[in-house]
Amino acid sequence: MHPAIQLANDVRKALRQRSHIAIADFYELIGQPVPGAPPRFVVRMAGKAFFHVVDSRTGKVRGFRRNHNEACALARQLEQKE
């Protein structure tokens, strides 16, 4: 990787870390817990009888089920693998 690109990536990483620290400080000031990361895999209804398990980072469907509970179980299973 080109040194200029690596330097820019390092700067962005440091800024993200400082942003997370600042957000945690603000939540501490108001006495609220810092919200956790959103789930990676979400269940969405697809038609009348199907539920898709979608990767929220890429938007791609990773699986589908006919039952909502089974789709949620699949999403939890995929979340544990990743």
Side-chain angles (χ1 to χ4, degrees), residues 4-78:
I5 294 173
Q6 183 63 43
L7 178 64
N9 287 342
D10 292 341
V11 168
R12 282 190 292 273
K13 182 178 178 184
L15 289 173
R16 268 193 305 275
Q17 289 174 346
R18 290 185 62 170
S19 173
H20 291 302
I21 292 168
I23 290 170
D25 288 344
F26 283 130
Y27 273 97
E28 185 178 326
L29 285 174
I30 62 173
Q32 296 290 323
V34 178
R40 179 168 178 188
F41 297 98
V42 294
V43 176
R44 295 192 182 143
M45 196 164 185
K48 291 185 179 182
F50 284 102
F51 296 92
H52 285 176
V53 177
V54 180
D55 187 342
S56 62
R57 294 182 188 167
T58 62
K60 293 183 178 181
V61 176
R62 295 289 306 264
F64 65 92
R65 297 289 185 267
R66 285 185 170 258
N67 184 323
H68 183 264
N69 291 334
E70 292 175 6
C72 290
L74 176 62
R76 283 190 294 272
Q77 181 183 13
L78 290 171

